[in-house]
Amino acid sequence: MKKKENLRPIWINKKDPSIINIIDQRMLPHKFVVADLKNVDDVIFAIKEMMVRGAPLIGVTGAFGVYLSCINLEKTGIQDKDIILQCKKIKNSRPTAVNLFWAVDKVLNKILQEKTSSAKIKMALKETLKIVDFEIQSSKKIGLLGYDLIKKISKRKNNKTVNILTHCNAGFLATIEYGTATAPIYTALEKNIDIHVFVDETRPLNQGARLTCWELSQKKIKHTIITDNAGGHLMQHKIIDMVIVGTDRTTYTGDVANKIGTYLKALAAKDNNIPFYVALPSSTFDWNIKDGLKQIKIEKRDPNEVKFVQGLVDEKIKNVLICPKTTPGLNYAFDVTPQRLVTGFITERGICHANEKAIKNLFPEKA
């Protein structure tokens, strides 16, 4: 597949602004497919079926869903009760990523202040594009701040290769540009730091293998795919210098919900004195939840995602059964890493420890 320049995972169709285009991430890395979103049902399907995924991108997609809802309701006149119902449907598409609720409510609150249908449509688009820009600028800042951490390790190692472990995909495919966990890596590359990334395959949908490896290949960043259970071994043998992951929801006290398996990486990092950082924009903090383990709703997905593996066979993407057909499956999409295992958060406002006081010092308006 050819390198894709200046690519975003979501954009407005250049010929028809009533259509939103997305990269169908289910098809990567083997096929590059662009899909059309024309209405709320399309948006909900794209989020549920993980055509789009990653907390910031899910939020942006939800915001564009509000915009599309306004366009489709315009013919009969946009009634506030109808748009509120549509927003509720969008927010119910996936339960864990807090950016979805944040972004949809942000657009909804703005359009409810407008009187006419045309004004509501314009405001929906304006507010959505502000969210897009916020996520891009946040990722840039996360990249610069996280780069300082990588630079210190590089200096300590006399400019030898810095080995970073990441889990799942928290790159531009999960945001808009740069990514969260990958932003410091991309910035380090631009500043000529010698880096190498160990990429967890990230079962069951293999977002690390399919998406992070594809992104890193596009950027020509040295990387190696590993099994999900290899990280601890690499840490024991001092091969990993640091871990950077993203998050789908983080409490104001520092508990982190991220792709299933993140907790095990954090445990291994703690046991081997390896720094474990979580990169996130402020839109991924949940300012209403204190106890992540008890209060964050963890999505359970189709067991067949565990029982089958997708891959390229004879130039066709196919699903292959890997266990006895009658064996039941259990498929939790996320787990919660307690704040005690997190070295720190890399946010657009700065780096802080994983505790309520440090987080609210960065975001005093939330105190």
Side-chain angles (χ1 to χ4, degrees):
M1 186 181 293
K2 292 182 179 179
K3 184 176 180 180
K4 306 292 181 180
E5 298 287 356
N6 302 318
L7 192 62
R8 290 183 179 180
I10 190 167
W11 63 95
I12 301 169
N13 186 286
K14 290 182 179 179
K15 295 181 179 179
D16 186 348
S18 69
I19 297 173
I20 303 301
N21 289 130
I22 59 168
I23 300 171
D24 185 348
Q25 297 188 30
R26 301 171 303 174
M27 301 293 106
L28 289 173
H30 306 300
K31 292 185 178 181
F32 187 86
V33 176
V34 174
D36 293 343
L37 305 182
K38 298 180 180 180
N39 52 52
V40 167
D41 288 340
D42 288 347
V43 168
I44 292 171
F45 182 84
I47 293 172
K48 277 188 173 182
E49 297 302 315
M50 295 179 69
M51 296 169 74
V52 295
R53 21 71 53 208
L57 179 59
I58 289 173
V60 167
T61 305
F64 272 121
V66 182
Y67 163 67
L68 290 177
S69 176
C70 290
I71 290 176
N72 284 283
L73 289 170
E74 184 184 21
K75 293 177 183 178
T76 55
I78 302 173
Q79 302 296 318
D80 285 350
K81 62 180 178 63
D82 294 329
I83 199 72
I84 290 170
L85 181 62
Q86 295 287 290
C87 288
K88 185 177 180 180
K89 287 173 62 179
I90 295 169
K91 289 192 290 183
N92 285 337
S93 56
R94 288 193 75 186
T96 304
V98 73
N99 300 62
L100 177 60
F101 311 104
W102 171 80
V104 170
D105 286 342
K106 200 168 180 61
V107 179
L108 176 62
N109 290 336
K110 286 291 185 179
I111 63 177
L112 290 179
Q113 298 173 30
E114 302 297 332
K115 301 299 182 185
T116 67
S117 292
S118 60
K120 287 180 186 295
I121 292 170
K122 288 179 181 177
M123 179 55 70
L125 181 58
K126 179 181 178 181
E127 195 64 21
T128 296
L129 292 178
K130 282 176 64 176
I131 292 171
V132 169
D133 186 63
F134 167 79
E135 296 296 0
I136 292 170
Q137 297 306 318
S138 293
S139 291
K140 284 182 180 179
K141 292 171 184 175
I142 288 168
L144 289 169
L145 291 163
Y147 158 71
D148 286 337
L149 298 172
I150 298 173
K151 182 173 67 173
K152 288 177 183 177
I153 294 173
S154 175
K155 186 176 181 180
R156 190 176 71 237
K157 294 184 71 175
N158 295 317
N159 298 321
K160 292 182 180 178
T161 303
V162 178
N163 287 298
I164 301 169
L165 175 70
T166 191
H167 188 66
C168 197
N169 173 261
F172 87 85
L173 287 169
T175 58
I176 303 296
E177 293 181 6
Y178 305 100
T180 53
T182 58
I185 295 168
Y186 293 155
T187 304
L189 175 73
E190 292 168 1
K191 295 182 180 294
N192 298 313
I193 299 288
D194 186 4
I195 52 174
H196 172 269
V197 183
F198 283 99
V199 183
D200 285 342
E201 59 184 344
T202 321
R203 286 276 293 140
L205 295 181
N206 294 312
Q207 293 98 321
R210 295 188 302 105
L211 305 179
T212 300
C213 288
W214 182 76
E215 280 197 39
L216 297 175
S217 295
Q218 298 287 303
K219 296 282 188 179
K220 296 188 177 352
I221 292 175
K222 293 185 294 183
H223 64 282
T224 303
I225 183 175
I226 58 173
T227 62
D228 284 345
N229 292 325
H233 172 78
L234 296 178
M235 292 184 210
Q236 284 179 321
H237 290 273
K238 310 303 179 186
I239 295 171
I240 304 296
D241 294 305
M242 70 184 303
V243 182
I244 311 178
V245 300
T247 171
D248 289 78
R249 182 185 299 219
T250 290
T251 69
Y252 66 82
T253 56
D255 295 334
V256 175
N258 193 46
K259 185 55 58 186
I260 194 78
T262 302
Y263 172 49
L264 295 179
K265 300 300 176 297
L267 283 170
K270 186 74 170 181
D271 194 50
N272 291 281
N273 297 312
I274 292 168
F276 182 95
Y277 284 94
V278 179
L280 73 161
S282 55
S283 56
T284 308
F285 279 109
D286 190 326
W287 302 103
N288 299 308
I289 287 183
K290 183 175 183 178
D291 189 321
L293 198 60
K294 292 180 180 178
Q295 294 178 281
I296 294 177
K297 184 176 181 180
I298 300 298
E299 178 183 8
K300 285 175 70 174
R301 294 184 59 82
D302 186 345
N304 282 333
E305 291 180 352
V306 177
K307 296 174 65 173
F308 288 80
V309 171
Q310 177 181 290
L312 191 67
V313 181
D314 298 327
E315 298 305 313
K316 293 182 179 179
I317 296 176
K318 295 182 179 181
N319 288 320
V320 178
L321 181 67
I322 60 171
C323 65
K325 191 174 182 179
T326 55
T327 298
L330 181 62
N331 187 12
Y332 287 102
F334 305 95
D335 59 24
V336 174
T337 298
Q339 54 85 212
R340 62 183 171 82
L341 300 177
V342 179
T343 305
F345 293 123
I346 311 169
T347 80
E348 76 271 19
R349 290 198 189 174
I351 297 173
C352 69
H353 292 297
N355 61 63
E356 181 178 353
K357 182 179 179 181
I359 293 167
K360 288 186 174 178
N361 279 342
L362 274 187
F363 301 94
E365 72 275 18
K366 302 295 183 180

